Amino acid sequence: MRAIPTLIRMLVLLLTGVVPAGALLAGTAGAAHAQTSPAARVALIGVPGLRWSDLGPEATPNLWRLTGESAIGSLSVRTMGPVTCPAAGWLTISAGIRTTAGERCLPEAPRVQGQGALVTPDASGAHAEGAGLLGQAIHDAGLCSAAVGPGAALALADRAGRVDAYAATVAELPAAEWGRCPFLAIDVDAAVRPYLASGTLTDEHDVPAATRAQAVRDADREVGEALARIPADATVLVAGLADHDRTPHLRVAMMRTPETARTGGAGGFRLGSDSTHRDDMVILPDVTATLLAARGLATPGLVMGLPWTVTAGHPGPVADAARELAAADVAGQTVRDMTAVFFTAFAVAQVLFYGVAYLILRRGGPRGRSALRAAALALAALPVSTYVVNLFPWVKTPWPAFTIVVGALAIDAVVTAVALAGPWRRTVLGPGTVVAAITGAVLVADLATGTTLQLNGVMGYTGVVGARYYGMGNIPNALFAASALLCAAAVAQALVARGRRRAAVAAVLAIGLACVAVEAWPGVGSKFGGTIGFVSATAVTAVLVAGRRLSAARLAVICGGGAVFALTVAFLDHLRPEADQTHLGRFIGQVVHGQAIEQIQQKLEAMLRTFGNPNLMPILVAALAFLVFALRNPGKVTAGALPLAFARAPMLRAGLAGALVSGVVGTLASDSGVAVLSMTLALAVPLALAAGVRALELGPAPSGEAAHSPSSTDAR
């Protein structure tokens, strides 16, 4: 039991920053960040719709030359909807948080007033939370701004809608204005205009490739005109800050500083941010923080982005660096396009599995049961296989989606073979514990190395979609919690069988606390909602392992304690320096500034929508129905397989109950909703059934084994 206070103390020290995270787990970026002094002025060139695949020395000479002088990365432009119109992109930069411009796709032209302009409330999206924050911060510092084009004016307008200098085109802005104000913004929308029909974005296939190419050349020409006028001492940011059609993509992000221009730019520097915890990806609200930081101004607390960071990488040709970023977009697109089909197939496989399992257990012989056991293990091993396949460069193959599927199935076969190959195959819990342990170990290793397996995984997340960029995703979290609790149950079973019940309880708590530390660790797991479920589930498992009764009141207290723990973690993260905070700490900041209600409402609505998901609900219904009927009517459904497994390995019931609690709480506390519980069941129920099949092969449990089981009253 001494290990538990030690782990708690270590967790507190880590969360408060006394002990750096890198002291125990590897960080996400290994290279040092380049430091730059405040620039005399900073210029933002917004080119909505620009992708890395658009750039080349012939097609875009101005942008290509700038690429060679800049740090470069991918820009995730997600705002409040599935796609981002230019107006929403510019307004997000204005507000410093993801927002929406309503039904408008292109910003409206401001009203010219002398040398400047006034962005009207209707045009500025003043109804949007935080609109005008960037411009107000500039004016509060006693500085001025100059904008070219409606989008630039929208970004730089203050709370009153004022912009100090304005022109509709680059040529119309007087030469003196380019050097007068330290903040410049230029709206270059040529690349997105061909995709607008009646003010909305069209599908990509509706625009001919030749039209697209010409639009990009026009945008490059306008960028060249702006670069010729921007003072040489300015830090220049280029952002492809919106989508060009109804399909989201990763966009261009580059930043030229005097240092990157002098030392070769893209050949040796990458562009990332602490918002994504990646050295080659940034998000749209980061632009706001970067503009202010480049000039040495403090970032207002309402801004949800963080400044771009220039990271020294491996020098190489500019073309290779650009090609790598273009491939990242292809990877995200591949996963996004195949996700629905994959989950449909996975749901069909789950439903068919339970149907076949019913028939085999009712009427099949020993061979059929052995095949069913292998199929159950293979089905449970498929999720982890979708992460392991990302160890291989499938994006470079001619058919990336096909490679993912074939690779995942091959890895699945290997994991299943390992589960059935060792001496553990003869035990009730052995094979399932191997699958669970491999699942948990892969996810922990992924967290420790920067989540390269979850990123662009069909059961992970992508920068293209932009729901998450680092840490533990909702589906991986469900799998991680279920695998950890089942492994803890197996350890507890081994200890209880030796008459060491107290040690079994301590082991469950130690394993659960260690996993919670990894899950909640800011910058590693950074999982807020999942922490509530995991803490509660660990406590439930420990209570059942201890042989205690799990009453409704006790369950409520446990879940409430999980919520308090998660909020404590978030609060400790909030106490750290703002630049070091993750979304956990920034959520507390939103509560302080009164912005949390809107975010909570959005997450609640997203969670409720998942109950109509045609791919997730079949998994949930089939697994729950099979589990419930198998326990209530064991002779009719599974020939008594599950009750027999519980009799031979009583702690399996505790681990399964804990996994269910984790799934239910995670569903209610996450915007992924049903996905959490369905993935929990997709792992836990097949593994429990595999244990039941092995128990059938071994026959009734000896009375000594059954004696270690909690009574039916205690295990309720």
Side-chain angles (χ1 to χ4, degrees), residues 111 113 117-121 124 126 131-133 135-136 139 156-163:
R111 188 168 69 247
Q113 290 186 338
L118 182 67
V119 177
T120 62
S124 69
L133 181 145
Q136 194 64 48
H139 285 163
L156 294 181
D158 63 12
R159 299 285 193 191
R162 295 180 295 110
V163 179

Side-chain angles (χ1 to χ4, degrees), residues 192-206:
V192 77
R193 282 193 174 274
Y195 296 89
L196 294 172
S198 302
T200 60
L201 291 175
T202 63
D203 292 328
E204 183 175 4
H205 58 74
D206 292 333

Side-chain angles (χ1 to χ4, degrees), residues 373-446:
R373 186 188 187 201
L377 295 170
L379 194 62
L382 184 58
V384 71
S385 302
T386 66
Y387 302 119
V388 177
V389 76
N390 272 2
L391 290 172
F392 305 95
W394 52 261
V395 72
K396 297 180 180 179
T397 64
W399 304 284
F402 177 77
T403 305
I404 291 175
V405 173
V406 172
L409 292 176
I411 295 167
D412 187 8
V414 171
V415 174
T416 304
V418 170
L420 291 171
W424 49 78
R425 71 183 184 277
R426 301 185 182 91
T427 65
V428 171
L429 297 184
T433 302
V434 169
V435 173
I438 291 174
T439 300
V442 166
L443 291 173
V444 169
D446 187 39

Side-chain angles (χ1 to χ4, degrees), residues 302-349:
L302 294 175
V303 174
M304 294 305 294
L306 295 169
W308 290 354
T309 51
V310 178
T311 305
H314 300 290
V318 173
D320 289 350
R323 193 159 38 243
E324 180 182 324
L325 293 173
D329 181 45
V330 172
Q333 286 297 321
T334 300
V335 170
R336 177 183 176 273
D337 291 344
M338 69 179 294
T339 296
V341 175
F342 174 84
F343 276 99
T344 298
F346 189 58
V348 170

Side-chain angles (χ1 to χ4, degrees), residues 47-135:
V47 191
L50 189 65
R51 294 182 297 185
W52 280 109
S53 57
D54 293 324
L55 272 57
E58 302 297 331
T60 57
N62 295 301
L63 284 164
W64 191 254
R65 184 167 54 254
L66 185 63
T67 300
E69 300 172 348
S70 304
I72 63 175
S74 297
L75 173 63
S76 175
V77 298
R78 183 200 176 201
T79 51
M80 298 296 288
V83 294
T84 298
C85 277
W90 285 110
L91 189 58
T92 293
I93 294 174
S94 169
I97 59 174
R98 288 172 170 173
T99 186
T100 177
E103 298 180 356
R104 288 192 321 279
C105 210
L106 281 182
E108 297 180 11
R111 188 168 69 247
V112 176
Q113 290 186 338
Q115 292 181 330
L118 182 67
V119 177
T120 62
D122 289 340
S124 69
H127 61 280
E129 183 123 24
L133 181 145
L134 173 61

Side-chain angles (χ1 to χ4, degrees), residues 613-633:
N613 189 297
N615 295 326
L616 299 174
M617 287 306 295
I619 300 175
L620 176 64
V621 172
L624 276 181
F626 187 87
L627 184 61
V628 170
F629 283 106
L631 294 176
R632 294 181 65 88
N633 304 281

